[in-house]
């Protein structure tokens, strides 16, 4: 009798075959089929109970059904109830797609220079080098290449085609299309004369056909993902497209490939793909994509690019942070303009975690397209930045968590042949399921951090659109200018309605923990702002709202060299001063009959400082204080100005404290009323606490403000009330 397998390695190898090598009845048939197929393939025969037991274990490890699963006896005893009704996991067969066509290389300069160093940056070899890199890595099955694929599931080849005029004209006007078409019959002299009238453009008689192929390849790649033919895909195409505008070619681009493809998908699947996210990480701003969708509320365009105050190509203010869309598309265009070259991995990941991923999850797209220029890569002299292939892999991995993984990568710029090849390889490996490599540098630069503060501008726009919130100006030199755009309020904040004032830390980073280490990796983390749901509830129930975001870094304080503890103290003092300024100038003097404070995280300290500096008459207006504390110390109120202040505070407060906080390690001793009315929260982290106790906060606010809730409320049994002393 043959040796019985004792590990799943042999079976794993067996089942790693391409789908075509495994009979369909094994993949789709009854639970009895997989085990018999395994035994036959491994040469194991007979009905020996020991063989059956071992093979059943192996099949179970591979989530395959077995006729022995529910057997009442075996060498190892009865089958466990947990596995008795286990359904086999689906065998995921979809591949990553690749679209490449050598004919796109025919678009060249009319007279290529003899000196190799003088080639135009938009070199036809760009796509060839990327394709060869993928082949040499063993990811592509190409009989013309010397290296066969090393993976059992190489990329699925998507055939390119020429885009139709009707498709191109979804983005470009008819005159532009006809002009590009006319270049195919122009003389060399005419082409040379014409290209001098354009911005960074060259023409060839093959330009028209190559541009149609590039746009058509982007279309077919997006449709392959949208239709479910492949799980995700990369299009290695040229000429690039994101600078091409409605009526003209610009910046090496003739047709706006990504925009055309997005429009075709939306036209082909109007119900299934209503919302599309386009992330453009090319080092240059994608003025063409922005122009195509700036008034469209269903296409969110986010661009990270070097701006240099409008002095970096394509130049001008169009790529600055103030261009947020037009008309119905306001808020659906986000520019993250780096003020200088030299940005690296940590800056890009910081922008992803604090801007792109939170906004993208809020938008909840049906399809994600990356306008993937690799000219921010290390070694690209035109871009002058230092993004590594590993970082491109991490950014891709984060975007794969959106839209059920429906992600398309379309090549844009990138002019160092080695840099674009290695970067595209890292992206493709990530698409195929390989984890991104580790990143050495994880601390963002000060310039990067300050630039990423654009997230607050976006949040301001969202809150303004949803609840008509306005910016509260801070007219005081002593209060740091970092608080500019950090204080928002509904227009009714000063009227005779209950007022909710929220002080909160910047939104918390959340994500999916690594399955093995249970740690949050950079490529799996993003920002989550749960406080917006509190604002929405308050506005819907007639409250005025003032929202105060407390930044981690303050201009003029965090910029100074010195003791970190001293810096933290100065930041605390600045936030305390802001709280007093807002109360004295915007809260105490208004007509609101009841004021409620909600403090989230470390920002809650500013509310306590404010309370400790008020007299009794000022406190009559305050109807309630709510706080969420996960790890920070719980601070008491003091009775410097008011007798029995602790009793007053206890009756009007509701503080949720993490279940693992040291305050609960008091050997059943009662907690003083000066700390407020504490509730022990079973949730971990501020975000989880905010979600878990939102009904409790709603009850607290509604009862004290005299507001009728729209839903019945049951007693929450997951929290424990701790009486004060």
């Amino acid at each position: 009798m043959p040796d019985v397998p004792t590990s799943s390695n042999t079976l794993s190898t067996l089942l790693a075959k391409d789908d075509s090598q495994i009979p369909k009845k094994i993949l789709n048939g009854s639970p009895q089929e997989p085990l018999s197929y395994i035994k036959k393939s491994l040469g194991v025969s007979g009905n020996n109970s020991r063989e059956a037991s071992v093979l059943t274990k192996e099949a179970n490890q591979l989530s395959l059904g077995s006729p022995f699963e529910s057997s009442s006896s075996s060498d190892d005893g009865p089958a466990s109830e947990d596995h008795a009704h286990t359904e086999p996991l689906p065998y995921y067969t979809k591949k990553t797609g690749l679209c490449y066509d050598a004919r796109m290389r025919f678009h060249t300069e009319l007279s290529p220079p003899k000196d190799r160093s003088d080639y135009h940056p938009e070199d036809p070899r760009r796509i060839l080098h990327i394709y060869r890199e993928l082949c040499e890595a063993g990811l592509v099955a190409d009989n013309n290449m010397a290296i066969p694929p090393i993976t059992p599931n190489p990329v699925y080849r998507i055939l390119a085609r020429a885009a139709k005029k009707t498709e191109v004209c979804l983005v470009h006007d008819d005159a532009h299309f006809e002009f590009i078409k006319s270049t195919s019959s122009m003389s060399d002299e005419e082409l040379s004369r014409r290209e001098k009238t354009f911005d960074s453009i060259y023409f060839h008689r093959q330009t028209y056909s190559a541009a149609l192929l590039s746009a058509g390849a982007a279309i077919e790649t997006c449709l392959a993902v949208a239709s479910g033919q492949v799980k995700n895909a990369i299009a290695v195409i040229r000429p690039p497209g994101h600078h091409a505008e409605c009526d003209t070619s610009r910046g090496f681009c003739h047709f706006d490939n990504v925009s055309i493809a997005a429009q075709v998908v939306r036209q082909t699947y109007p119900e299934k793909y209503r919302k599309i996210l386009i992330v453009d990480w090319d080092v240059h701003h994608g003025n063409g994509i922005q122009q195509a969708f700036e008034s469209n509320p269903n296409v969110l365009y986010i661009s990270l690019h070097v701006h240099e105050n409008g002095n970096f190509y394509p130049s001008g203010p169009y790529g600055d942070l103030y261009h947020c869309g037009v008309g119905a598309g306001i808020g659906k265009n986000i520019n993250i303009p780096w003020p200088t070259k030299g940005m690296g991995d940590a800056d890009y990941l910081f922008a992803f975690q604090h801007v792109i991923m939170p906004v993208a999850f809020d938008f909840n797209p049906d399809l994600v397209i990356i306008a993937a220029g690799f000219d921010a890569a290390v070694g690209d002299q035109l871009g002058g930045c230092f993004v590594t292939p590993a970082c491109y892999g991490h950014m891709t991995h984060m975007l794969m968590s959106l839209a059920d993984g429906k992600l398309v990568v379309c090549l844009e710029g990138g002019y160092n042949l080695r840099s674009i090849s290695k970067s595209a390889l890292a992206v493709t490996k990530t698409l195929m399921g390989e984890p991104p490599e580790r990143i050495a540098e994880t601390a963002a630069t000060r310039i990067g951090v300050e630039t990423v503060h654009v997230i607050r501008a976006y949040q301001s726009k969202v809150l303004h659109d949803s609840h008509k919130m306005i910016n509260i100006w801070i007219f005081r030199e002593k209060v740091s200018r970092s608080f500019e755009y950090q204080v928002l309020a509904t227009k009714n904040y000063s009227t005779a309605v209950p007022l909710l004032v929220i002080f909160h830390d910047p939104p918390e980073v959340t994500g999916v923990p690594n399955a093995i280490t249970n740690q949050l990796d950079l490529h799996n983390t993003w920002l989550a702002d749960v406080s917006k749901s509190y604002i929405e509830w308050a506005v819907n129930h007639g409250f005025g709202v003032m929202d105060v975001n407390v930044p981690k870094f303050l201009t003029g304080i965090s910029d100074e060299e010195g003791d970190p503890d001293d810096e933290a103290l100065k930041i605390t003092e600045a936030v305390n001063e802001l709280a007093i300024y807002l109360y004295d100038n915007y809260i105490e003097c208004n007509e609101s009959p009841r004021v409620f404070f909600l403090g989230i995280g470390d920002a809650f300290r500013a509310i306590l400082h404010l309370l400790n500096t008020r007299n009794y008459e000022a406190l009559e207006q305050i109807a309630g204080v709510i706080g969420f504390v996960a790890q920070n110390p719980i601070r008491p109120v003091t009775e410097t100005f008011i007798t029995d202040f602790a009793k007053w505070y206890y009756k009007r407060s509701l503080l949720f404290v993490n279940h693992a906080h040291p305050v609960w390690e008091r050997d059943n001793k009662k907690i003083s009323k000066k700390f407020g009315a504490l509730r022990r929260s079973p949730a971990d982290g501020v975000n989880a606490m905010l979600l878990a106790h939102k009904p409790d906060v709603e009850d607290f606010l509604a009862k004290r403000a005299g507001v009728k809730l729209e839903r019945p409320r049951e007693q929450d049994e997951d929290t424990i009330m701790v009486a004060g002393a």
Side-chain angles (χ1 to χ4, degrees):
M1 182 185 73
D3 292 336
V4 177
T6 57
S7 78
S8 61
N9 292 335
T10 305
L11 295 177
S12 299
T13 303
L14 177 65
L15 294 183
K17 294 181 179 180
D18 186 79
D19 301 348
S20 61
Q21 302 177 45
I22 301 177
K24 290 185 177 179
K25 68 176 184 177
I26 301 304
L27 297 175
N28 306 317
S30 65
Q32 285 78 10
E33 296 290 354
L35 187 64
S36 60
Y37 173 67
I38 292 169
K39 292 172 67 177
K40 181 178 179 181
S41 300
L42 297 180
V44 178
S45 61
N47 296 314
N48 183 280
S49 61
R50 178 169 174 266
E51 290 183 40
S53 176
V54 174
L55 287 175
T56 298
K57 289 181 180 179
E58 298 289 356
N60 285 340
Q61 290 179 15
L62 294 169
S63 299
L64 295 172
S66 159
F68 301 95
E69 280 182 334
S70 58
S71 175
S72 59
S73 64
S74 71
D75 287 355
D76 295 322
S80 72
E81 293 182 2
D82 293 338
H83 293 284
H85 303 288
T86 301
E87 292 292 333
L89 293 176
Y91 183 74
Y92 195 72
T93 60
K94 290 183 182 178
K95 297 181 179 181
T96 293
L98 166 66
C99 190
Y100 167 80
D101 195 308
R103 292 175 293 171
M104 287 182 277
R105 293 161 50 200
F106 297 165
H107 165 62
T108 66
E109 295 178 90
L110 285 172
S111 301
K114 296 180 180 180
D115 187 348
R116 295 177 65 88
S117 63
D118 291 335
Y119 276 113
H120 192 281
E122 212 289 279
D123 189 329
R125 295 174 297 168
R126 295 169 60 241
I127 59 173
L128 175 62
H129 277 247
I130 292 175
Y131 182 70
R132 281 181 175 172
E133 187 75 26
L134 300 181
C135 291
E136 291 172 1
L139 307 182
V140 183
D142 189 332
N143 295 330
N144 297 319
M145 291 292 176
I147 301 177
I150 61 174
T151 172
N153 289 300
V155 293
Y156 177 87
R157 295 299 299 274
I158 300 169
L159 297 180
R161 64 165 174 86
K164 303 172 185 176
K165 179 179 179 179
T166 54
E167 294 171 331
V168 174
C169 289
L170 291 172
V171 173
H172 299 280
D173 62 25
D174 185 80
H176 176 62
F177 179 88
E178 291 299 329
F179 170 76
I180 299 299
K181 181 180 180 180
S182 70
T183 61
S184 61
S185 59
M186 290 182 182
S187 65
D188 288 358
E189 293 75 14
E190 178 68 7
L191 290 171
S192 180
R193 184 182 67 82
R194 289 292 189 124
E195 68 184 25
K196 293 177 181 178
T197 64
F198 283 81
D199 177 9
S200 303
I201 285 295
Y202 66 76
F203 290 117
H204 188 279
R205 277 184 291 277
Q206 296 297 326
T207 295
Y208 172 63
S209 60
L212 286 181
L213 272 175
S214 186
I219 292 171
E220 286 301 305
T221 306
C222 288
L223 289 177
V225 173
S227 65
Q229 186 177 14
V230 293
K231 61 179 180 180
N232 51 44
I234 180 170
V236 182
I237 55 178
R238 70 172 291 272
H242 72 150
H243 292 312
E245 297 183 351
C246 170
D247 57 355
T248 188
S249 300
R250 286 190 68 184
F252 314 158
C253 305
H254 297 286
F255 294 145
D256 188 352
N257 306 318
V258 166
S259 298
I260 294 169
Q263 290 286 46
V264 171
V265 169
R266 296 181 67 242
Q267 187 180 73
T268 307
Y269 300 99
E271 297 299 323
K272 189 175 181 181
Y273 293 97
R274 296 184 177 184
K275 296 189 295 182
I276 295 179
L277 166 65
I278 300 175
V279 176
D280 187 343
W281 66 43
D282 189 289
V283 79
H284 303 95
H285 175 240
N287 54 289
I289 302 178
Q290 177 168 311
Q291 181 194 67
F293 296 113
E294 61 185 351
S295 61
N296 192 323
N298 295 314
V299 178
L300 172 61
Y301 175 62
I302 306 177
S303 176
L304 304 93
H305 54 270
V306 173
H307 187 58
E308 291 186 340
N309 197 29
N311 294 314
F312 195 76
Y313 193 87
S315 303
Y318 199 50
D320 63 25
L321 61 88
Y322 301 109
H323 283 77
C324 300
V326 176
I330 291 180
K332 297 302 186 294
N333 189 95
I334 300 176
N335 289 320
I336 304 174
W338 302 127
T340 182
K341 295 182 179 181
M343 311 308 288
D345 290 354
D347 300 305
Y348 275 75
L349 290 180
F350 190 78
F352 258 73
Q353 293 169 336
H354 288 256
V355 180
I356 295 174
M357 294 310 296
V359 172
F361 268 89
D362 189 56
F363 182 66
N364 192 23
D366 302 310
L367 176 69
V368 180
I369 306 175
I370 303 176
F374 294 113
D375 39 6
V378 174
D380 193 301
Q381 295 182 351
L382 207 61
C385 291
F386 303 101
V387 180
T388 66
C391 183
Y392 284 117
H394 279 268
M395 294 189 292
T396 302
H397 195 281
M398 282 189 269
L399 292 173
M400 287 170 66
S401 64
L402 301 166
D404 295 325
K406 295 182 180 68
L407 175 65
V408 179
V409 181
C410 293
L411 180 66
E412 291 288 350
Y415 309 104
N416 180 299
L417 299 180
R418 178 175 174 80
S419 297
I420 61 173
S421 301
K422 297 298 182 183
S423 299
L425 175 61
V427 168
T428 307
K429 284 183 175 180
T430 303
L431 291 175
M432 297 179 73
E434 184 171 317
E437 296 180 1
R438 294 182 63 181
I439 291 179
E441 179 187 359
T442 57
T445 63
R446 181 68 64 185
I447 293 175
V449 171
E450 290 180 352
T451 304
V452 167
H453 280 166
V454 72
I455 187 176
R456 190 56 187 174
Y458 173 80
Q459 288 179 327
S460 300
K461 181 60 205 164
V462 170
L463 293 175
H464 177 271
D465 287 347
S466 302
H467 311 302
K468 304 303 179 186
M469 298 187 79
I470 59 176
N471 185 55
I472 297 294
W473 295 101
I474 311 298
F475 298 99
R476 180 175 292 185
E477 292 184 2
K478 287 185 178 181
V479 179
S480 169
R481 66 182 178 90
S482 288
F483 294 122
E484 187 177 5
Y485 302 112
Q486 305 299 310
V487 184
L488 303 172
T490 53
K491 292 183 178 180
N492 64 340
Y493 79 92
S494 61
T495 61
V497 296
L499 175 65
L500 175 63
V501 182
I502 305 175
F503 277 75
H504 61 87
D505 296 339
E508 188 177 81
V509 172
T510 187
V512 180
N514 184 289
I516 298 176
T517 65
N518 202 36
Q519 299 297 311
L520 284 176
D521 299 322
L522 286 176
H523 59 269
N524 272 340
T525 57
W526 53 86
L527 212 69
D529 189 359
V530 185
S531 64
K532 288 192 294 185
S533 64
Y534 282 74
I535 296 174
E536 182 177 359
W537 179 90
V539 170
N540 291 339
H541 287 79
F543 282 72
V545 178
M546 185 177 293
D547 178 68
V548 184
N549 180 65
V550 179
K552 289 291 186 184
F553 304 96
L554 298 184
T555 304
I557 296 177
S558 301
D559 296 337
E560 300 175 357
E561 298 288 340
D563 186 354
D565 292 336
D566 184 50
E567 177 183 329
L569 179 60
K570 290 181 179 179
I571 291 176
T572 299
E573 291 174 350
V575 177
N576 291 343
E577 185 174 357
L578 172 68
I580 293 174
Y581 175 84
L582 292 174
Y583 188 84
D584 291 343
N585 292 276
Y586 290 102
I587 299 174
E588 187 177 29
C589 58
N590 69 25
E591 300 176 4
S592 175
R594 299 178 184 86
V595 176
F596 298 87
F597 285 97
L598 171 59
I600 302 172
D602 200 41
F604 183 58
R605 293 189 301 178
I607 296 175
L608 287 179
H609 176 79
L610 172 66
L611 295 177
N612 284 328
T613 60
R614 304 294 94 181
N615 56 33
Y616 186 78
E617 288 75 17
L619 293 178
E620 287 183 344
Q621 190 182 21
I622 300 175
V625 179
I626 306 164
F628 286 87
V629 180
Q631 299 174 340
N632 301 315
I634 299 175
R635 305 178 187 278
V637 295
T638 61
E639 297 187 344
T640 305
F641 301 103
I642 305 173
T643 305
D644 293 333
F645 188 25
K647 292 182 180 179
W648 177 94
Y649 179 54
Y650 180 79
K651 291 180 179 179
R652 289 168 174 78
S653 63
L654 178 61
L655 274 66
F656 299 97
V657 183
N658 180 266
H659 62 92
H661 195 282
V663 73
W664 305 117
E665 300 174 2
R666 299 175 62 88
D667 298 328
N668 296 322
K669 294 181 180 179
K670 290 185 177 181
I671 300 173
S672 173
K673 290 182 178 179
K674 65 182 180 181
F675 291 99
L678 307 185
R679 283 197 181 189
R680 188 169 188 168
S681 173
D684 292 313
V686 172
N687 270 343
M689 293 169 64
L690 286 167
L691 289 172
H693 301 294
K694 186 169 180 283
D696 300 292
V697 174
E698 293 172 358
D699 279 350
F700 182 87
L701 293 172
K703 182 178 179 180
R704 293 170 180 263
V707 173
K708 183 178 180 181
L709 286 176
E710 298 177 354
R711 55 164 178 78
R713 176 76 177 104
E714 297 179 359
Q715 182 65 33
D716 187 354
E717 299 178 355
D718 293 333
T719 55
I720 303 173
M721 193 70 173
V722 180

